[in-house]
Amino acid sequence: MPTRDDLAGSFFPVDPAPAVGWTITDGPVDYEDAVAIMEHRAEAIARGEASEWVWLVEHPALYTAGTSSRPDDLIAARFPVHQTGRGGQYTYHGPGQRVAYVMLDLKRRRPDVRAFVAALEDWIVATLASFNLRAGRREARVGVWVDRPDKPPSVSGLLAEDKIAAIGIRLRRWVSFHGISINVEPDLEHFSSIVPCGIADAHLGVTSLVDLGLPVTMADVDVALRQSFAPIFGASVDEI
């Protein structure tokens, strides 16, 4: 089976298509409201009644449980827990974390889920590179990671690594929704009440841009996300 590195590459539409709508919502967005809006837009895209869309939001502190979540991975329900249809396991969303919901029509691009995940990872990696941060995918783990040689290795000598960005998607009629999250400056202690993405190895943790010593704002990340989006997915246009 090809690796995600093998599948990586541009994800442009194969035929002429309108530019992808791009919206940034200030202030916390209720999670259930966000899901309802995404589902409505994805259905409209599938019917050919709306353009593709990227929606950047923040959520109040909460946990979401993906379709592969295990009950034991919820250590303490200190924040509301939402069952969700996206792939993956438990994750945290909250202030200081940029969530980008991505609604693209894969029938017009590449109807390949693993290639789409690879493209999302490439988008995150390119965004982080804008801040001179070297990050990358790990074939056995979805998401984007950074090496942490400053932290203790595993008992077997494996290099410590921290996850800085998560991916969880769902497809309906080949239209994607849900998307990615990048830790800009969230409270990392909030991750301690779950086993993030089911990964419990002691040498694997969670980090953020600010935790890594990069004084990056949410607005900085938004600019980098949009600049890095175009070479992989194509043009975008502001949508209110």
Side-chain angles (χ1 to χ4, degrees), residues 134-190:
R134 184 175 181 179
R137 69 170 57 87
R138 303 293 186 265
E139 188 60 31
R141 304 177 236 127
V142 174
V144 172
W145 297 75
V146 294
D147 292 341
R148 297 302 304 266
D150 54 314
K151 289 187 171 183
S154 73
V155 293
S156 61
L158 294 175
L159 181 68
E161 301 175 52
D162 282 345
K163 191 171 190 175
I164 193 168
I167 296 174
I169 61 168
R170 185 174 183 182
L171 297 180
R172 184 176 293 163
R173 297 170 62 188
W174 284 108
V175 176
S176 68
F177 55 113
H178 296 281
I180 70 170
S181 61
I182 298 177
N183 295 331
V184 181
E185 192 179 8
D187 186 336
L188 295 178
E189 199 274 331
H190 291 173

Side-chain angles (χ1 to χ4, degrees), residues 4-111:
R4 295 201 304 282
D5 279 337
D6 296 330
L7 294 169
S10 65
F11 227 80
F12 294 127
V14 296
D15 56 4
V20 177
W22 193 275
T23 302
I24 302 172
T25 298
D26 295 324
V29 175
D30 178 82
Y31 184 76
E32 297 295 344
D33 288 347
V35 172
I37 291 169
M38 279 193 289
E39 290 185 340
H40 182 269
R41 181 62 173 253
E43 285 293 334
I45 293 169
R47 294 193 301 267
E49 297 172 359
S51 63
E52 299 171 303
W53 191 36
V54 172
W55 183 25
L56 274 54
V57 305
E58 284 182 88
H59 289 303
L62 58 91
Y63 299 122
T64 65
T67 55
S68 301
S69 60
R70 300 186 295 249
D72 290 348
D73 287 344
L74 179 64
I75 299 168
R78 63 191 295 187
F79 301 118
V81 178
H82 298 265
Q83 300 295 322
T84 180
R86 62 156 176 81
Q89 301 182 37
Y90 277 99
T91 194
Y92 166 77
H93 294 313
Q97 182 189 73
R98 174 53 83 208
V99 176
Y101 290 130
V102 182
M103 285 144 277
L104 298 180
D105 187 350
L106 270 60
K107 295 191 307 295
R108 304 177 66 178
R109 295 172 179 269
R110 292 168 68 185

